[in-house]
């Protein structure tokens, strides 16, 4: 169906070229056009909050991965929440609050497949992009199913002040573990310890990570939840406890290294300590999300888990706001409000 003149104007960012290294504003085209009316089985959603995640950088590369790359000329892929304005899809009506891959745009016309209603009475809708959304599910299933921490063990997490890492450490504490974070800068480390309740936090910008880990983890690292890769992963591998588990969630330090992605140099520690390193993709747990959402919502309600959303305005500044992820400028879950 062709656009009609009374449709709202859809502002969007489309991928214009594959980035080399850190994405700059020039890799996207900013476009304004009337939103398309929904066809049968589709709905028109006014986007209210857009999730900005490190994984988006990987989706821009034309290489084999767990999901097809964003095509040149396509709207930049992103999870988002919003309100249904018009619907020709069974089970959805105007006024419904929904979550899905709506893209970096202000009005999304999308098929109902993959769109989920959310309960706006349970929590603010932006929380479904953080603790009750993909980051929360990543922390929950990655730590508990892959890491399998046991009471009294030491859990180390990098990116500890980010959307996933901040939850991982808190869940570890709930499960009776010691939680040691790695983050960038004294303010983030202070927040992680004083507000989130971690047992310690290492400032990788000013400390020797290996030496600090030795002090914080005298009996070794039982579970390492890795969000950054590179030098920090190597430092942790030198300090594993026997039968340690390393959870490979991401490697943000390597996402912009297209030609020479650096792997772990100290991987032989896996043999010495009979350890296990395992990657995972949270989409594999989609059928279990309801369990994770229910438990995380319960912990938030009981005051056992603190969430932080870093919400930024000004849609036209998307490239700059997205770049905050690679500078470590965000605290908690980075979200953009159109």
């Amino acid at each position: 169906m062709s656009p009609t003149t009374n449709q709202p104007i859809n502002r969007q960012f489309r991928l214009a070229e594959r980035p080399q290294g850190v994405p700059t504003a020039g890799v996207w085209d900013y476009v304004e056009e009337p939103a398309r009316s929904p066809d049968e089985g589709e709905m028109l959603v006014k986007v209210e909050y857009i999730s900005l995640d490190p994984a988006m950088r990987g989706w821009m590369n034309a290489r084999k991965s767990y999901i097809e790359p964003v095509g040149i000329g396509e709207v930049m892929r992103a999870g988002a929440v919003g309100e249904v304005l018009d619907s020709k899809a069974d089970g959805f009506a105007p006024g419904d609050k929904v979550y899905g891959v709506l893209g970096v745009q202000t009005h999304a016309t999308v098929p109902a497949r993959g769109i989920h209603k959310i309960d706006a009475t349970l929590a603010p809708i932006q929380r479904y992009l953080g603790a009750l959304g993909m980051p929360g599910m990543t922390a929950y299933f990655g730590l508990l199913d892959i890491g399998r921490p046991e009471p009294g063990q030491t859990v180390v997490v990098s990116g500890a002040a980010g959307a996933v890492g901040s939850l991982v450490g808190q869940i570890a504490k709930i499960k009776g573990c010691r939680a040691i974070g790695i983050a960038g800068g004294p303010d983030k480390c202070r927040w992680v310890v004083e507000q989130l309740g971690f047992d310690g936090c290492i400032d990788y910008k000013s400390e020797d990570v290996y030496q600090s880990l030795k002090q914080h983890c005298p009996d070794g690292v039982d579970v390492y939840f890795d969000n950054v890769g590179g030098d920090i992963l190597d430092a942790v591998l030198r300090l594993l406890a026997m039968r340690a588990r390393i959870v490979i969630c991401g490697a943000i330090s390597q996402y912009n290294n297209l030609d020479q992605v650096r792997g772990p140099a100290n991987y032989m520690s896996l043999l010495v300590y009979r350890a296990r390193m395992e990657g995972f993709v949270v989409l594999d747990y989609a059928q279990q999300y309801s369990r994770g959402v229910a438990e995380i919502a319960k912990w938030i309600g009981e005051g056992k888990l603190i969430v932080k959303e870093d919400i930024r305005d000004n849609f036209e500044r998307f490239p700059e706001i997205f770049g905050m992820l690679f500078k470590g400028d965000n605290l908690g879950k980075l979200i953009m409000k159109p």
Side-chain angles (χ1 to χ4, degrees), residues 157-178:
V157 56
S158 53
V164 174
S166 62
L167 299 175
V168 167
Q170 292 184 84
I171 295 172
K173 293 295 295 180
I174 290 170
K175 295 299 181 178
C177 300
R178 293 182 67 247

Side-chain angles (χ1 to χ4, degrees), residues 1-9 34-37 44 85-86 107:
M1 182 179 294
S2 61
T4 57
T5 55
N6 60 350
Q7 289 292 89
I9 296 299
R36 181 173 63 82
S37 297
L44 173 61
L85 297 181
D86 189 11
H107 295 80

Side-chain angles (χ1 to χ4, degrees), residues 43 45 92 98-102 110-117:
M43 69 189 78
V45 180
F92 294 89
V98 296
Y99 164 81
V101 180
L102 303 177
V110 291
R113 183 182 66 256
I115 302 299
H116 306 278
K117 287 185 184 180

